Amino acid sequence: MKKSASWRSPSNIALVKYWGKYPKQIPANPSISFTLNDCYTETEVILDDKKTDATFSFEVILDGESKPDFAPKIEKFFNQIVDEAPFLKEFHFTIKTHNSFPHSSGIASSASGMSALALCLLSLKEEITGKKEDDFHRKASEWARLGSGSASRSVYGGLVEWGRFAGMPESNDEFAVPFTGKVHDVFKTFCDYVLLVEMGAKSVSSTAGHGLMNNHPFAERRFLQAHENLEKLTEILASGDLAAFGNLVESEALTLHAMMMTSDPSFILMKPNTVHVIERIRQYRKETGTPVYFTLDAGANVHVLFPAAAEQKVKSFVDSELKQYLKDGRYICDRVGQGSERY
């Protein structure tokens, strides 16, 4: 029996950050993100007859090249969902995948990659069993979470929330949900330019980074702060207050890095050029009044966030003043997207 499923799933950039988790990929605090449009992973999963006695039989192929080093992560993921998907033991899986963005560029490839894989496997489950999921995307988000926490948010488009939060009764630790609050039009077409300050593997994995929160002296206050900031952001998203949005999002980014710098062991994930870019963005905003802001993931690269109406100004600013700080002058122009899609 040979079957296949193909999904494209985007990366996302968190505005309120998730950092710290409990067993079974349960977040220590809620988070909210913009789903991107052009930074995505395309994955095709081909199911075929199994020719081995191993519990799981699969091969991962990235851009036409076999990637055996991906095997431990995939096997761990299969183990986490096999009770709901026993067919994983019965077939051989060829996982062909492609990222639209440079590999190891500091963009959350685990979010797009694991969500695309979860969507493919859930589609195959429906086909094999002949039973439709009651809520396909919710179940895909739950599966994706087990592979990568932030992947839970990539299943949906626009603004997506994950983790129990009093301001959203439908929120859940086990899956992400589309943000249900009021959203001002200015945030529906927001842009995100990803400035590639550094390329290559991070000095500390996300899994290890989350683990450093377990005995962190400031952890509990940080978790509470995330709830407070999400409540504030809910009001900001409704009002369209760009200055308040930028202030909160930048503070969240710096707090994430502050937690890493004050953990044991400690890590400084920013590079000198990260700081140069941040300082230049703030200076440009002050001088011109242009609503342009930054955020960071757990790495050196800078996400430049701004409303679509400012794109011409911001692109000129990036080209003339920020490219000098980037690896080979490289950056990616992106914007808020509509989420995953089958192809």
Side-chain angles (χ1 to χ4, degrees):
M1 179 168 68
K2 195 166 188 175
K3 297 180 182 295
S4 68
S6 302
W7 279 85
R8 177 185 297 118
S9 192
S11 188
N12 66 76
I13 180 64
L15 306 174
V16 172
K17 308 293 185 180
Y18 138 69
W19 200 243
K21 61 185 177 183
Y22 303 122
K24 298 184 179 179
Q25 293 282 84
I26 298 299
N29 66 264
S31 59
I32 189 169
S33 62
F34 274 140
T35 298
L36 299 180
N37 187 70
D38 296 323
C39 291
Y40 58 79
T41 298
E42 290 180 335
T43 297
E44 179 186 21
V45 177
I46 303 165
L47 173 156
D48 210 341
D49 293 332
K50 189 175 178 181
K51 297 180 176 65
T52 175
D53 293 331
T55 304
F56 301 118
S57 175
F58 61 86
E59 180 182 17
V60 182
I61 299 172
L62 174 65
D63 293 327
E65 183 180 343
S66 182
K67 289 289 183 179
D69 51 322
F70 286 10
K73 188 177 181 74
I74 301 300
E75 183 160 356
K76 181 180 179 183
F77 179 55
F78 277 20
N79 265 310
Q80 289 172 308
I81 65 172
V82 69
D83 287 348
E84 292 186 274
F87 70 94
L88 292 175
K89 292 181 177 180
E90 299 168 10
F91 301 97
H92 175 77
F93 297 85
T94 302
I95 302 167
K96 296 182 177 180
T97 190
H98 160 74
N99 292 331
S100 68
F101 46 91
H103 186 58
S104 295
S105 62
I107 303 169
S109 59
S110 61
S112 55
M114 295 309 296
S115 57
L117 178 57
L119 287 155
C120 287
L121 293 176
L122 194 58
S123 291
L124 288 169
K125 180 190 176 186
E126 285 192 338
E127 190 171 347
I128 289 167
T129 63
K131 296 178 182 177
K132 295 288 186 183
E133 288 291 331
D134 292 337
D135 190 326
F136 182 90
H137 282 81
R138 177 173 292 186
K139 176 55 70 174
S141 177
E142 183 180 334
W143 280 13
R145 182 199 96 242
L146 294 170
S148 165
S150 58
S152 66
R153 299 189 305 250
S154 280
V155 169
Y156 298 101
L159 285 155
V160 185
E161 196 276 345
W162 170 46
R164 292 197 181 277
F165 168 56
M168 281 183 62
E170 64 274 39
S171 62
N172 199 290
D173 286 341
E174 295 189 354
F175 50 80
V177 293
F179 178 69
T180 54
K182 182 182 176 184
V183 179
H184 191 280
D185 285 347
V186 73
F187 294 117
K188 295 177 181 177
T189 57
F190 236 60
C191 297
D192 177 2
Y193 281 13
V194 189
L195 309 189
L196 303 180
V197 172
E198 182 181 65
M199 296 179 66
K202 294 183 292 189
S203 60
V204 58
S205 71
S206 294
T207 299
H210 285 290
L212 292 171
M213 293 295 286
N214 291 339
N215 297 303
H216 199 293
F218 308 136
E220 291 305 318
R221 184 63 190 89
R222 163 57 200 158
F223 300 149
L224 179 59
Q225 180 194 48
H227 284 269
E228 294 168 349
N229 280 349
L230 189 47
E231 187 173 350
K232 291 176 186 175
L233 187 60
T234 299
E235 297 174 3
I236 291 167
L237 291 171
S239 70
D241 186 337
L242 289 172
F245 172 85
N247 185 60
L248 187 149
V249 168
E250 291 183 353
S251 174
E252 273 285 316
L254 295 175
T255 298
L256 169 64
H257 282 255
M259 298 305 286
M260 292 297 288
M261 285 188 249
T262 52
S263 64
D264 184 15
S266 61
F267 293 89
I268 300 176
L269 301 182
M270 293 187 197
K271 298 299 180 184
N273 281 347
T274 308
V275 179
H276 286 312
V277 167
I278 288 172
E279 289 180 334
R280 194 64 197 93
I281 289 171
R282 286 179 160 176
Q283 184 181 353
Y284 174 76
R285 186 170 67 224
K286 186 176 181 179
E287 290 172 351
T288 67
T290 305
V292 56
Y293 313 100
F294 69 85
T295 189
L296 310 163
D297 270 337
N301 296 332
V302 182
H303 289 250
V304 184
L305 301 175
F306 54 93
E311 185 165 17
Q312 189 172 348
K313 284 184 182 178
V314 173
K315 191 170 192 316
S316 176
F317 164 59
V318 171
D319 286 336
S320 63
E321 300 191 43
L322 299 185
K323 280 182 75 171
Q324 61 182 312
Y325 302 117
L326 309 183
K327 182 73 172 176
D328 300 325
R330 298 182 71 179
Y331 65 95
I332 299 168
C333 301
D334 211 338
R335 61 192 64 244
V336 176
Q338 299 303 307
S340 58
E341 61 179 346
R342 195 166 185 176
Y343 69 95

